[in-house]
């Protein structure tokens, strides 16, 4: 048996094209070759199960080895093996059957995953790192002869009789100069850990030292000795391949720790397991996220038949669940095609909907089963739920039942419960129910106290996503508005017909307005004289709800009018015409004293909001000392 030949392709030399297009992701050559070895092993096991292979299966471990001196990496399996004819068919023909289409379709490809696998090019990823590749193989079939295939990265190949005596295939890569970084134990271990950690067949990479008991010493204490054992890099039966009924909480937590060694324990998890109308398994964990949610993305790992593919799962997992951690495994996701195809794929949409439903069902179950425990977790899971409510209509419909609003008294209510609680006292003259909220309990304390004096309730909405959540709620809830406690003076937050009258005359009001405008001397502050309770502050500074909300939304990723985020801050200054201090300003003897009192009252209002800084603060302190 000896044959030289040319691989038949109808386009330019494909090897430089493979190298060019896959250049950014060289390490996947190992994923592809180990996956092929596992696949060949799985097939021989299947044939044995069906009685079509009656020989001894023996140890079916796949082995990865390297030789730094010879500059080789070898991937060995004890799987099906190949005959010379099968090499010609599977290596020379099938791998290139789509070559012309491949070159045309992927001229502009940027991602290796768009190419590898789609046209049977998995094996040929070897030429990204090797200048020469050898296949030593012996088929499982009775009477088969061993064969060797060699190729130097051109379209020329040679097949000759081999010397292999055991069933399976060894692929030897002679590493090129540009890729000698891969002739390193830790580099290879890292790649195997990344892509092959959960493959269903044991994978050996060298050996490791382990301590074992070695009798006892003179005092009766245990002795230990170090021995070398096979370094098996993978867990062949990860928890997502098992039935939930066979697993305990400790199993899920241990698996989470293996994925995220530095992470805190998750709050809870969802075991995915469906085989119709698509295949999908996995475990998704709810981590403790709080407000730093941007740091948490890309934590879901995507597998196909236990081979790690990517942690870029944007189109498969709903956007709001990108904050979850865990694994998804599905052979039905078209991993090796472009993103636009992925977005349009029917299975991907079904999987996306399924995951959304499973998460909603789990949250609903937790809420109904133990509301108190659910409330205790709300600070950690609220971000997920609110994000889902905003981004997925289907989730919103289910989420209405278990989305909670928390008030300043640390009481929790569903949307319907809260509306029922406040509508009697917080409905304005236009029949709009007003939900009042605070984003910073310390900064807004004065405003909170003012509204609570009127027995109004205040919600705490202080997560980064809440500005968008508030906007969304207003579009969904009938006759409901949300207003921040510092969006206006208390009488105007919830307008009724029983407002306070301004006790100043028209002339006095005009005089007070002019005095404060002169003292403030800033066009970004609009002064109005209002009729408020004498117990309210003499001067209150507010920013209108819509303006503040647009600015908040601009800071956390836009919104329909996010250009407002770049506008200068503009404030409303409400002078309480019924406050004794305003009367004192009017009765001051000199013009200078009137302006000084007005300026002092205004600076106090700025100070209460944290808006008094720099030279203005220094001047205020100096003036205060003089006045005392």
């Amino acid at each position: 048996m000896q044959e030289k030949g040319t691989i038949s392709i109808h386009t330019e030399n494909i090897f430089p094209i493979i190298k060019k297009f896959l250049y950014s992701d060289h390490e996947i050559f190992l994923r592809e070759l180990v996956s092929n070895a596992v696949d060949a092993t799985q097939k021989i096991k299947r044939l044995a199960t069906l009685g079509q292979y009656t020989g001894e299966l023996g140890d079916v471990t796949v082995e990865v080895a390297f030789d730094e001196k010879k500059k080789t990496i070898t991937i060995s399996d004890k799987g099906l093996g190949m005959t010379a004819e099968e090499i010609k068919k599977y290596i020379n023909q099938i791998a290139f059957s789509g070559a012309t289409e491949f070159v045309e379709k992927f001229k502009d490809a940027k991602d290796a995953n768009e190419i590898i696998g789609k046209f049977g090019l998995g094996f040929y990823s070897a030429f990204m790192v090797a200048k020469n590749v050898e296949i030593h193989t012996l088929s499982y079939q009775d009477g088969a002869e061993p064969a060797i295939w060699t190729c130097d990265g051109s379209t020329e190949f040679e097949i000759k009789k081999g010397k292999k005596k055991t069933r399976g295939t060894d692929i030897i890569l002679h590493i090129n100069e540009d890729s000698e970084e891969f002739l390193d134990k830790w580099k290879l271990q890292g790649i195997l850990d990344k892509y092959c950690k959960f493959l269903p067949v044991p994978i050996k990479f060298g050996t490791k030292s382990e301590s074992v008991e070695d009798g006892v010493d003179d005092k009766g204490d245990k002795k230990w000795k170090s021995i070398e054992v096979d370094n098996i890099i993978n867990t062949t039966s990860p928890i997502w391949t098992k039935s939930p009924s066979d697993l305990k909480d400790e199993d899920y937590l241990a698996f989470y720790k293996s994925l995220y060694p530095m992470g805190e324990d998750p709050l809870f998890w969802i075991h995915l397991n469906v085989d119709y109308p698509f295949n999908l398994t996995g475990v998704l964990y709810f981590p403790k996220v709080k407000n730093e949610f941007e740091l948490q993305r890309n934590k879901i790992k995507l597998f196909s038949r236990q081979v790690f593919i990517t942690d870029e799962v944007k189109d498969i997992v709903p956007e709001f669940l990108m904050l979850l951690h865990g694994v998804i495994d599905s052979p039905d996701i078209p991993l090796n095609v472009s993103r636009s195809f992925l977005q349009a794929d029917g299975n991907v949409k079904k999987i996306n909907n399924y995951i959304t439903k499973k998460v909603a069902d789990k949250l609903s179950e937790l809420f109904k089963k133990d509301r108190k425990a659910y409330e205790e977790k709300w600070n950690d899971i609220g971000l997920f739920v609110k994000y889902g409510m905003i981004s997925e209509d289907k989730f919103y419909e289910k989420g209405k039942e278990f989305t909670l609003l928390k008030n300043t008294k640390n009481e929790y209510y569903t949307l319907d419960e809260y509306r029922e609680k406040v509508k009697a006292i917080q409905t304005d003259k236009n029949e709009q129910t007003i939900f009042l909220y605070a984003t910073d309990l310390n900064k807004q304390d004065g405003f909170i106290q003012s509204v609570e004096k009127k027995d109004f309730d205040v919600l705490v909405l202080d997560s980064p996503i809440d500005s968008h959540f508030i906007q969304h709620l207003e579009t969904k809830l009938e006759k409901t508005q949300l207003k921040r406690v510092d969006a206006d003076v208390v009488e105007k937050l919830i307008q009724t017909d029983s407002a306070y009258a301004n006790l100043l005359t028209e002339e006095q009001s005009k005089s007070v307005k002019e005095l404060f405008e002169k003292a403030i001397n800033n066009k970004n502050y609009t002064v109005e004289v209002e009729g408020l309770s004498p117990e309210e502050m003499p001067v209150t500074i507010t920013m209108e709800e819509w303006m503040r909300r647009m600015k908040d939304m601009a800071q956390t990723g836009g919104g329909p009018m996010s250009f407002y985020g770049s506008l200068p801050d503009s404030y409303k200054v409400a002078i309480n015409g019924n406050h004794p201090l305003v009367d004192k300003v009017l009765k001051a003897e000199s013009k200078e004293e009137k302006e000084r009192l007005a300026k002092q009252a205004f600076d106090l209002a700025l100070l209460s909001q944290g808006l008094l800084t720099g030279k203005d603060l220094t001047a205020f302190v100096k003036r205060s000392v003089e006045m005392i």
Side-chain angles (χ1 to χ4, degrees):
M1 178 206 306
Q2 184 149 3
E3 180 181 338
K4 290 185 178 180
T6 303
I7 298 168
S8 175
I9 54 175
H10 309 293
T11 178
E12 60 193 288
N13 187 338
I14 202 162
F15 292 100
I17 297 170
I18 292 172
K19 288 177 184 179
K20 178 185 171 188
F21 284 131
L22 307 186
Y23 193 79
S24 62
D25 205 4
H26 275 186
E27 65 182 32
I28 60 170
F29 81 91
L30 195 56
R31 177 190 82 181
E32 292 301 313
L33 297 178
V34 172
S35 298
N36 287 349
V38 167
D39 194 41
T41 308
Q42 293 283 73
K43 282 175 179 169
I44 195 71
K45 287 167 71 177
R46 180 76 177 140
L47 290 179
T49 304
L50 296 171
Q52 293 177 25
Y53 174 67
T54 55
E56 282 291 317
L57 268 183
D59 174 22
V60 292
T61 302
V62 169
E63 185 168 358
V64 177
F66 74 104
D67 187 320
E68 202 171 353
K69 285 183 183 172
K70 292 183 180 176
K71 297 185 179 178
T72 60
I73 296 173
T74 303
I75 297 95
S76 304
D77 69 64
K78 302 176 185 74
L80 288 173
M82 289 181 284
T83 63
E85 286 306 309
E86 284 171 332
I87 292 176
K88 283 189 264 185
K89 180 180 177 184
Y90 293 115
I91 302 297
N92 295 350
Q93 293 167 25
I94 289 180
F96 285 111
S97 61
T100 308
E101 185 191 352
F102 155 68
V103 172
E104 282 307 308
K105 192 164 183 178
F106 290 104
K107 277 189 297 209
D108 303 317
K110 295 180 181 68
D111 179 7
N113 272 330
E114 292 183 24
I115 302 166
I116 293 230
K118 174 68 176 170
F119 296 98
L121 291 169
F123 167 74
Y124 281 96
S125 62
F127 287 99
M128 290 193 293
V129 297
K131 59 189 176 186
N132 195 296
V133 178
E134 300 174 29
I135 300 174
H136 296 250
T137 186
L138 174 62
S139 171
Y140 74 97
Q141 296 168 41
D142 288 339
E145 288 192 336
I148 297 174
W149 176 93
T150 55
C151 180
D152 63 359
S154 70
T155 53
E156 305 293 321
F157 71 88
E158 181 179 1
I159 296 178
K160 59 186 179 182
K161 188 172 179 179
K163 295 177 181 176
K164 190 166 171 58
K165 291 186 167 53
T166 54
R167 179 198 74 230
T169 302
D170 302 331
I171 293 175
I172 304 170
L173 313 183
H174 296 267
I175 303 301
N176 60 41
E177 283 182 15
D178 294 343
S179 302
E180 286 180 11
E181 63 186 283
F182 293 105
L183 294 168
D184 176 84
K185 177 182 177 182
W186 301 112
K187 177 83 171 174
L188 292 173
Q189 179 77 47
I191 298 169
L192 290 168
D193 283 344
K194 180 177 178 180
Y195 291 108
C196 308
K197 197 171 181 176
F198 301 109
L199 282 172
V201 171
I203 296 154
K204 177 188 173 186
F205 179 59
T207 60
K208 61 181 178 181
S209 297
E210 267 188 11
S211 290
V212 293
E213 284 187 40
D214 185 26
V216 291
D217 60 20
D218 297 341
K219 296 176 183 174
D221 294 329
K222 285 180 184 176
K223 285 200 302 183
W224 300 86
K225 68 176 178 180
S226 184
I227 59 167
E228 285 295 302
V229 296
D230 288 350
N231 177 29
I232 304 296
I233 60 100
N234 57 324
T235 301
T236 56
S237 299
I239 64 170
W240 76 81
T241 64
K242 299 175 182 177
S243 166
S245 59
D246 296 334
L247 296 165
K248 296 176 182 172
D249 286 359
E250 304 90 83
D251 299 318
Y252 288 105
L253 291 169
F255 181 64
Y256 186 82
K257 282 293 182 195
S258 76
L259 291 176
Y260 315 105
M262 307 304 288
E264 284 186 77
D265 282 354
L267 297 162
F268 51 89
W269 47 86
I270 300 165
H271 197 126
L272 307 169
N273 196 345
V274 62
D275 54 19
Y276 181 82
F278 48 83
N279 282 292
L280 178 78
T281 53
V283 181
L284 293 178
Y285 293 88
F286 275 71
K288 292 180 180 177
V289 173
K290 300 247 176 358
N291 289 342
E292 298 173 12
F293 68 101
E294 283 301 326
L295 306 176
Q296 305 290 328
R297 292 169 175 273
N298 295 339
K299 292 287 189 175
I300 295 177
K301 299 176 186 296
L302 182 65
F303 290 77
S304 180
R305 295 187 175 92
Q306 296 173 232
V307 182
F308 173 71
I309 304 299
T310 180
D311 50 16
E312 274 281 332
V313 294
K314 187 170 176 289
D315 298 303
I316 295 147
V317 175
E319 171 71 15
F320 73 101
L321 294 176
M322 293 285 284
L323 308 179
L324 297 182
H325 295 177
V327 298
I328 293 171
D329 191 327
S330 177
D332 289 333
I333 298 170
L335 301 166
N336 304 309
V337 292
S338 67
R339 172 143 289 177
S340 58
F341 186 91
L342 194 63
Q343 288 166 337
D345 184 74
N347 268 335
V348 170
K349 287 180 180 173
K350 286 175 192 167
I351 288 169
N352 190 302
N353 290 338
Y354 168 77
I355 292 171
T356 301
K357 182 179 181 302
K358 285 289 284 186
V359 169
D361 289 348
K362 178 72 174 182
L363 290 166
S364 180
E365 175 200 325
L366 289 169
F367 176 70
K368 288 171 183 170
K369 188 176 172 183
D370 188 343
R371 176 160 176 166
K372 191 170 185 304
Y374 184 83
E375 287 178 358
E376 285 168 3
K377 290 187 175 85
W378 181 252
N379 281 351
D380 292 304
I381 62 174
L383 200 64
F384 293 108
V385 179
K386 289 173 184 176
Y387 198 179
M389 297 281 278
I390 294 165
S391 57
E392 297 267 338
D393 268 348
K394 284 181 183 173
F395 188 81
Y396 180 91
E397 287 311 308
K398 286 176 174 288
K400 285 186 298 188
E401 302 167 18
F402 52 75
T403 297
L404 297 180
L405 299 172
K406 182 178 85 167
N407 68 9
T408 52
K409 301 179 184 75
N410 279 326
E411 298 166 338
Y412 293 88
Y413 301 90
T414 65
L415 300 179
D416 286 344
E417 288 168 354
Y418 193 72
R419 186 181 174 78
E420 208 51 43
K421 173 183 169 62
V422 301
K423 74 176 181 184
I425 192 170
Q426 289 179 211
T427 297
D428 66 13
K429 60 185 180 183
N430 300 316
E431 295 188 356
Q432 292 281 318
T433 300
I434 310 299
F435 290 5
L436 299 174
Y437 69 95
T439 56
D440 188 320
L441 297 184
N442 290 324
K443 277 188 181 176
Q444 293 150 14
D445 183 67
F447 292 95
I448 293 168
Q449 287 194 33
S450 285
V451 300
E452 286 181 346
K453 276 180 197 168
K454 290 186 169 287
D455 291 328
F456 295 155
D457 195 75
V458 181
L459 295 170
V460 181
L461 293 169
D462 57 1
S463 83
I465 206 170
D466 276 333
S467 53
H468 298 272
F469 180 59
I470 289 160
Q471 191 81 358
H472 195 70
L473 282 183
E474 285 188 336
T475 66
K476 293 287 190 181
L477 300 177
E478 230 178 285
K479 290 190 172 183
T480 302
Q481 273 184 288
L482 283 92
K483 291 185 183 179
R484 204 166 104 170
V485 286
D486 58 354
D488 213 328
V489 291
V490 65
E491 271 78 9
K492 289 196 171 179
L493 284 172
I494 303 173
Q495 288 188 315
T496 61
D497 293 323
S498 58
Y500 279 90
N502 181 2
L503 300 180
L504 298 179
T505 65
E506 196 173 321
E507 189 63 33
Q508 285 174 319
S509 290
K510 186 181 175 188
S511 175
V512 167
K513 183 175 179 180
E514 287 171 357
L515 264 171
F516 273 90
E517 281 176 341
K518 189 172 181 186
I520 294 167
N521 191 27
N522 187 329
K523 63 182 180 182
N524 292 326
Y525 289 84
T526 307
V527 178
E528 296 291 342
V529 181
E530 309 271 10
L532 305 174
S533 162
E535 293 179 6
E536 290 297 323
M537 292 292 286
V539 181
T540 306
I541 299 170
T542 59
M543 182 186 283
E544 284 188 70
E545 175 70 22
W546 69 272
M547 171 66 89
R548 194 185 294 278
R549 197 183 296 180
M550 293 307 153
K551 284 181 169 290
D552 287 346
M553 287 170 72
Q555 286 181 344
T556 54
M561 298 170 76
S562 59
F563 64 89
Y564 281 104
S566 58
L567 293 179
D569 291 346
S570 59
Y571 296 93
K572 185 177 149 190
V573 181
I575 311 300
N576 184 357
N578 301 332
H579 196 281
L581 180 60
V582 174
D583 188 50
K584 186 178 178 181
V585 171
L586 281 169
K587 290 176 178 173
E589 291 181 6
S590 67
K591 184 182 172 189
E592 289 76 14
E593 180 63 11
K594 285 180 179 180
E595 285 180 9
R596 191 166 77 119
L597 284 169
K599 180 67 173 160
Q600 187 73 359
F602 173 68
D603 282 355
L604 275 168
L606 285 175
L607 187 68
S608 72
Q609 294 243 47
L611 295 171
L612 193 62
T613 57
K615 290 179 181 177
D616 292 331
L617 177 59
T618 305
F620 168 77
V621 172
K622 189 177 176 185
R623 192 188 322 117
S624 299
V625 171
E626 288 168 1
M627 290 175 79
I628 291 167

